[in-house]
Amino acid sequence: MEYIKNFTNLRSKHTAEVGGKNASLGEMISRLGPKGIKVPDGFATTADAYWYFLKENDLKNDLKKLMDALDTEDYKNLKNIGGKARKMIMDAEMPEEFAEAIKSSYRELKEKERDMESVAVRSSATAEDLPSASFAGQHETFLNVKGEKEVVEAVQKCIASLFTDRAIKYRVDNDFDHMKVALSAGVQRMVRADKASAGVMFTIAPESGFDKVVFITGNWGLGENVVQGNVKADQFYVFKPSLKKSRYPILSKTMGTKSKTMVYSDAKRHTTKNTRTPQNKKDQFIISDEEIEQLARWGILIEEFYEKAMDIEWAKDGNSEELFIVQARPETIHSSKKDKSKLKNYTLKEENGKRLVDGTAIGDKIASGKVRILESPDESDKLKEGDVLVTEITNPDWDPIMEKASAIITNSGGRTSHAAIVAREIGAVAIVGAEDATEKLKKGHMVTVSCAGGTEGIVYDGKLDWKEEEINFKKLKTPKTEVMLILGDPGLAYQYASYPVKGVGLMRLEFVINNAIKAHPLALLNYNKLKDKSDKKEIKELTRHYDDKAEYFTDKLSQAVGTIAAAFYPDDVIVRMSDFKSNEYSGLLGGKEFEPEEENPMLGFRGASRYHHNRYREGFKLECEAMRIVRDHMGLTNVKLMIPFCRTTDEARKVLQVMERYGLKQGWHDLEIFMMVEIPSNVVLIDQFAELFDGFSIGSNDLTQLTLGLDRDSAEVSDLFDEKNPAAKQMLSMAIKDARKSKTKIGLCGQAPSDFPEIAQFLVNEGIDSISFNPDAVTQGIKNILKAEKKK
């Protein structure tokens, strides 16, 4: 009988003998090692060895009787059954031949890896009739194991973990015969991540399944904190096409709090322990840009080798400074969803609900229910069907009860935490990393949990109303008129990338500046001269990871624009340069010191007039630098730029000259610069503006208000605002016809074509090239355009 197989001898065909996890490690060592991927060496015990262990201890019949006695309706005796099964295995004796085979292989591994200090012993289950079945997260792993005797004991503990409560229920839920599933233990050289860092990598975006990015997350110390979701880890998104073209591929870098660091412990029976992360390490990213890129390259190679999206664990050795892949398995949540044309869109009807708690959103749904705060799975009887489960953190022991909850909220954890993974699997609403949810939320209180707003999940007071819209894009034909999106939040980009659109017709920078940057660009450039001590203190905290506060602005803005550009690549993403009015800019941190007080900001210092003016030109320079990074550094040349509120052709020339001076030369690397058509002068002189710009986008709101001579912010005259007014429609007609005469592209951004079919008909009849909608209006907008084109 073969008790042991070395990793170097394992291939995918051995999955039935050693489980998918161990077979995958062997496959990577032999097939991907030559391509530069480093995998720690080791060996695996076999399924035959497992059955031999049961036979020699006469356990099979007793275990079968135990499993047959399981209450599979309410699982009331699950804890008792699981405990008895594990004790039965731990009380058994390890057969001498099996034990000696483990010891011998361990000695050989130590001889081969001379600087090896300890090993990790990981469980890898397999089913006889379904060898490719995934049992991810159901069984135990033992770290920092030293010595022959200790390795044998860890293997026996792995065998016992085949009967954890969660694993037993998992097999019942997935219709596996308990007595046809075997356990293989993988014994692998331990990477000294306790002296460095470790984490998880997905070769697709974990929330949306968007397949053009690699998502990497990690923490200082051993990787268990990331796998278990005990910390807010660092997060990185890497764009695959840019990486393959040797351009800067890192779309975003988010620094986590990284409060705990897991290290080895010398105490007997406690192989690891958590320590507090020092402040200086909390303020550092766990790996460098070069290491982020290296991991992403490895992720792509692994994905290409297996021809499927992968869920990968990585670790960095603090002694050698080398990166390693320690585990790889197929990603199952998004990969199993074959039909991505059907979506359900959730929208809160009440936008001003009272916020109680927020955290990281998992998924994009909304749910409501009564709060139930549980300290452990043992309190499962307190959770009623449809309740909102609130706890510190979950682990696989929570699996049997989580499906009862309408929503799941945890104080700790990130996108790869257990709660996040289970929520995706069961399609539940979840918010992780909500920090003090167990303190702020009250038992029995009705709440609404919304993950429909992008990356931020919010818990609202009471039961709010929301709208659910079933979208089936397969039923929609593609109109001749291009349909594009209006977008501002990069957190929603990957989700909306699957919509049947031809890119983004309007990306608003204001959303990013207001929500992510929060500070006025000139306040960042003149930080030391700021007079407002309160604003200065807030800016100091916001930018504490940056010595150069201007770099904070360009980093945040370029990452946001880069994320949206990557999501829709290679389709156009038209970015409108900032169009705050002076009163809105004043609301940013430090803004009051740099903005004029105007009687009517709507008609004042806004748009193009700011960009070349001494008062704001240096702030515009930062915007231009961020766009240059996206286009030239990241290689996302699908980004086009757009100038808002440009009153005269002379002003247009000045702005274009300033942009060229700041590295954004029209035509360079196919750079196109568009202009918003929103002032009557734009329409009257559109042929002259067409000599300066590559395209136009009609801003119907501003064009309507300026045609009718009213301020739409004024409550007294707002009822006169009407995009269907004959004068407003005449302006639209003139703009479209004259743009077409000059052979210049022209589109429109706004709600009217989705709200009013007659406006869609009018635009199609006039020959508009494209129409951009907010995401929630895309379906209706396409329907209106298709009807209009049919009539035309």
Side-chain angles (χ1 to χ4, degrees):
M1 181 181 295
E2 197 171 15
Y3 301 105
I4 303 291
K5 280 188 177 291
N6 290 325
F7 282 172
T8 49
N9 296 326
L10 290 176
R11 302 290 184 273
S12 294
K13 64 182 181 181
H14 298 117
T15 300
E17 299 169 64
V18 296
K21 188 186 298 182
N22 288 331
S24 173
L25 288 170
E27 191 82 59
M28 285 194 294
I29 286 173
S30 59
R31 303 287 292 278
L32 295 177
K35 295 186 178 183
I37 296 179
K38 294 177 181 175
V39 179
D41 203 359
F43 60 90
T45 64
T46 64
D48 283 346
Y50 168 80
W51 297 120
Y52 177 65
F53 173 86
L54 295 192
K55 181 183 176 185
E56 288 297 295
N57 287 282
D58 201 20
L59 292 176
K60 194 168 184 179
N61 287 334
D62 290 344
L63 285 170
K64 186 178 186 307
K65 287 177 184 176
L66 260 182
M67 295 303 108
D68 288 344
L70 178 67
D71 170 15
T72 56
E73 290 294 323
D74 301 315
Y75 294 97
K76 289 179 180 176
N77 63 348
L78 174 60
K79 188 176 180 180
N80 181 48
I81 294 285
K84 283 183 177 179
R86 295 191 295 276
K87 186 176 187 304
M88 198 181 290
I89 290 171
M90 290 310 299
D91 286 346
E93 286 190 22
M94 181 67 77
E96 189 176 338
E97 298 92 333
F98 186 13
E100 186 51 45
I102 296 169
K103 292 175 184 178
S104 175
S105 295
Y106 175 68
R107 288 194 294 269
E108 287 175 15
L109 183 61
K110 281 189 73 177
E111 182 64 28
K112 190 176 177 183
E113 304 282 331
R114 290 190 174 274
D115 58 345
M116 184 178 83
E117 297 178 24
S118 60
V119 293
V121 184
R122 306 175 190 273
S123 304
S124 180
T126 184
E128 288 177 356
D129 50 350
L130 280 172
S132 61
S134 170
F135 296 91
Q138 302 305 312
H139 314 107
E140 301 294 350
T141 291
F142 302 93
L143 304 177
N144 194 33
V145 181
K146 300 177 183 178
E148 296 175 9
K149 181 183 173 185
E150 287 74 14
V151 172
V152 172
E153 184 181 338
V155 169
Q156 190 163 348
K157 287 179 179 176
C158 281
I159 293 172
S161 78
L162 190 61
F163 293 93
T164 59
D165 299 353
R166 60 184 182 266
I168 294 170
K169 185 174 185 298
Y170 178 91
R171 291 194 292 272
V172 174
D173 290 344
N174 291 277
D175 201 25
F176 288 115
D177 185 332
H178 297 289
M179 305 320 296
K180 288 186 178 180
V181 177
L183 195 292
S184 163
V187 179
Q188 185 179 33
R189 171 184 169 157
M190 191 81 204
V191 177
R192 290 305 305 263
D194 61 310
K195 295 183 176 182
S197 56
V200 176
M201 167 168 57
F202 287 87
T203 60
I204 56 174
E207 292 312 310
S208 62
F210 180 68
D211 62 2
K212 290 180 183 174
V213 293
V214 176
F215 173 72
I216 301 169
T217 183
N219 191 63
W220 295 116
L222 303 172
E224 294 305 295
N225 278 333
V226 180
V227 174
Q228 294 169 9
N230 291 330
V231 292
K232 277 193 173 180
D234 289 348
Q235 297 182 5
F236 315 101
Y237 280 96
V238 183
F239 189 46
K240 293 174 184 176
S242 289
L243 187 63
K244 290 175 181 178
K245 291 177 183 177
S246 299
R247 307 302 288 267
Y248 182 75
I250 302 172
L251 296 174
S252 65
K253 297 163 66 176
T254 305
M255 189 171 287
T257 53
K258 305 185 291 289
S259 56
K260 301 173 186 174
T261 299
M262 186 176 282
V263 297
Y264 296 151
S265 171
D266 293 329
K268 200 170 183 181
R269 295 173 186 250
H270 297 281
T271 55
T272 61
K273 65 178 180 181
N274 264 318
T275 60
R276 286 186 180 180
T277 307
Q279 189 60 48
N280 67 321
K281 295 194 82 174
K282 287 181 181 180
D283 290 338
Q284 295 175 39
F285 283 116
I286 45 124
I287 45 177
S288 66
D289 283 7
E290 292 77 13
E291 289 168 328
I292 294 168
E293 291 185 32
Q294 182 178 331
L295 283 173
R297 282 193 197 93
W298 286 359
I300 293 170
L301 284 171
I302 294 169
E303 179 181 59
E304 289 175 346
F305 176 75
Y306 285 104
E307 297 182 336
K308 59 186 71 173
M310 298 295 288
D311 171 357
I312 301 162
E313 291 181 29
W314 63 270
K316 181 179 177 180
D317 193 299
N319 290 335
S320 66
E321 298 294 311
E322 294 176 292
L323 291 169
F324 290 89
I325 299 298
V326 295
Q327 200 172 132
R329 64 176 75 89
E331 191 279 341
T332 55
I333 297 163
H334 294 289
S335 303
S336 61
K337 294 179 181 176
K338 294 178 182 177
D339 188 0
K340 295 185 179 181
S341 63
K342 292 181 180 178
L343 297 172
K344 204 163 189 180
N345 196 41
Y346 292 74
T347 311
L348 274 176
K349 291 182 180 178
E350 303 172 52
E351 296 182 359
N352 298 314
K354 182 182 176 184
R355 290 170 66 137
L356 301 176
V357 168
D358 57 61
T360 301
I362 303 301
D364 55 5
K365 298 179 181 178
I366 302 173
S368 64
K370 290 183 179 179
V371 170
R372 294 291 173 222
I373 301 172
L374 305 187
E375 292 187 8
S376 78
D378 295 338
E379 299 180 319
S380 61
D381 58 312
K382 294 181 181 178
L383 188 75
K384 303 293 186 289
E385 195 80 35
D387 283 349
V388 174
L389 168 61
V390 183
T391 189
E392 175 62 35
I393 195 167
T394 67
N395 58 42
D397 291 330
W398 289 83
D399 288 1
I401 64 170
M402 289 173 75
E403 290 184 27
K404 290 168 63 178
S406 63
I408 302 158
I409 302 168
T410 62
N411 289 348
S412 305
R415 298 200 178 284
T416 58
S417 65
H418 173 264
I421 291 168
V422 171
R424 292 188 201 104
E425 285 179 347
I426 63 177
V429 179
I431 297 176
V432 297
E435 294 187 348
D436 48 6
T438 50
E439 295 176 19
K440 286 190 173 180
L441 300 178
K442 304 302 178 188
K443 183 178 75 171
H445 190 74
M446 178 63 72
V447 296
T448 299
V449 184
S450 173
C451 293
T455 55
E456 183 184 45
I458 303 169
V459 181
Y460 293 98
D461 186 22
K463 182 175 173 57
L464 304 184
D465 285 337
W466 69 84
K467 180 175 71 173
E468 296 180 23
E469 181 190 10
E470 186 82 35
I471 304 172
N472 188 347
F473 293 137
K474 272 187 179 176
K475 293 182 179 179
L476 293 176
K477 294 181 180 177
T478 302
K480 293 176 184 175
T481 308
E482 285 192 347
V483 176
M484 304 178 83
L485 282 182
I486 300 171
L487 206 55
D489 184 356
L492 295 167
Y494 301 144
Q495 175 186 333
Y496 293 139
S498 62
Y499 279 36
V501 295
K502 290 293 289 180
V504 176
L506 173 62
M507 183 201 166
R508 301 186 180 108
L509 291 190
E510 298 83 50
F511 181 92
V512 180
I513 294 171
N514 204 36
N515 292 278
I517 296 173
K518 301 181 181 179
H520 196 290
L522 295 177
L524 295 167
L525 286 166
N526 297 278
Y527 173 76
N528 293 327
K529 298 178 184 177
L530 289 179
K531 297 170 187 174
D532 189 314
K533 292 181 179 178
S534 175
D535 280 6
K536 192 171 183 178
K537 184 180 178 183
E538 279 195 62
I539 291 173
K540 182 180 179 181
E541 177 59 26
L542 276 174
T543 62
R544 64 194 176 91
H545 301 127
Y546 291 84
D547 294 329
D548 181 351
K549 307 213 176 295
E551 189 182 339
Y552 163 80
F553 185 94
T554 56
D555 253 18
K556 294 286 185 185
L557 195 58
S558 62
Q559 289 178 19
V561 174
T563 296
I564 292 178
F568 292 90
Y569 184 86
D571 289 332
D572 287 353
V573 171
I574 302 173
V575 178
R576 184 180 70 187
M577 306 305 277
S578 68
D579 192 27
F580 278 136
K581 296 174 278 293
S582 56
N583 60 326
E584 293 167 332
Y585 260 120
S586 294
L588 297 171
L589 293 172
K592 291 184 178 68
E593 297 182 33
F594 300 96
E595 293 297 324
E597 289 190 18
E598 298 183 287
E599 289 293 327
N600 191 345
M602 184 75 78
L603 296 177
F605 191 44
R606 63 177 287 200
S609 60
R610 300 180 69 93
Y611 304 157
H612 62 86
H613 196 285
N614 289 337
R615 189 160 193 159
Y616 185 73
R617 191 185 300 128
E618 289 302 306
F620 184 60
K621 182 179 181 179
L622 294 187
E623 293 184 37
C624 290
E625 175 60 16
M627 298 306 103
R628 192 190 65 77
I629 290 169
V630 172
R631 285 184 49 84
D632 297 348
H633 199 35
M634 295 181 178
L636 293 164
T637 52
N638 60 322
V639 166
K640 313 287 174 72
L641 304 178
M642 185 152 64
I643 306 304
F645 223 77
C646 186
R647 295 175 171 95
T648 68
T649 54
D650 183 53
E651 190 167 60
R653 289 187 185 91
K654 288 179 181 177
V655 170
L656 291 172
Q657 287 168 6
V658 169
M659 293 178 77
E660 184 172 339
R661 194 185 316 155
Y662 294 152
L664 295 172
K665 183 179 180 181
Q666 200 170 13
W668 180 253
H669 290 159
D670 299 320
L671 172 60
E672 292 184 355
I673 301 179
F674 287 42
M675 184 190 79
M676 293 289 291
V677 174
E678 49 196 342
I679 307 169
S681 64
N682 299 152
V683 178
V684 173
L685 300 177
I686 201 163
D687 57 331
Q688 294 181 34
F689 282 107
E691 294 175 9
L692 300 171
F693 292 101
D694 299 293
F696 299 116
S697 180
I698 299 169
S700 57
N701 286 340
D702 271 344
L703 186 57
T704 299
Q705 73 169 342
L706 293 176
T707 299
L708 298 179
L710 58 86
D711 180 354
R712 71 177 189 271
D713 285 351
S714 170
E716 282 74 14
V717 295
S718 61
D719 60 313
L720 296 173
F721 182 88
D722 182 10
E723 290 158 300
K724 302 192 297 296
N725 182 280
K729 288 174 71 175
Q730 183 65 25
M731 279 290 181
L732 290 175
S733 177
M734 288 170 60
I736 296 167
K737 284 177 179 174
D738 288 348
R740 289 181 68 83
K741 280 181 188 175
S742 64
K743 297 183 179 178
T744 308
K745 289 179 285 188
I746 187 164
L748 179 139
C749 302
Q751 281 300 104
S754 61
D755 292 344
F756 308 112
E758 61 269 35
I759 293 289
Q761 186 71 62
F762 173 76
L763 292 170
V764 167
N765 290 345
E766 294 298 319
I768 195 89
D769 291 313
S770 67
I771 303 176
S772 300
F773 301 97
N774 288 315
D776 62 351
V778 165
T779 306
Q780 189 57 49
I782 291 175
K783 289 177 180 177
N784 288 350
I785 292 172
L786 287 169
K787 285 180 184 176
E789 289 180 346
K790 191 174 182 181
K791 284 184 181 179
K792 183 185 176 183

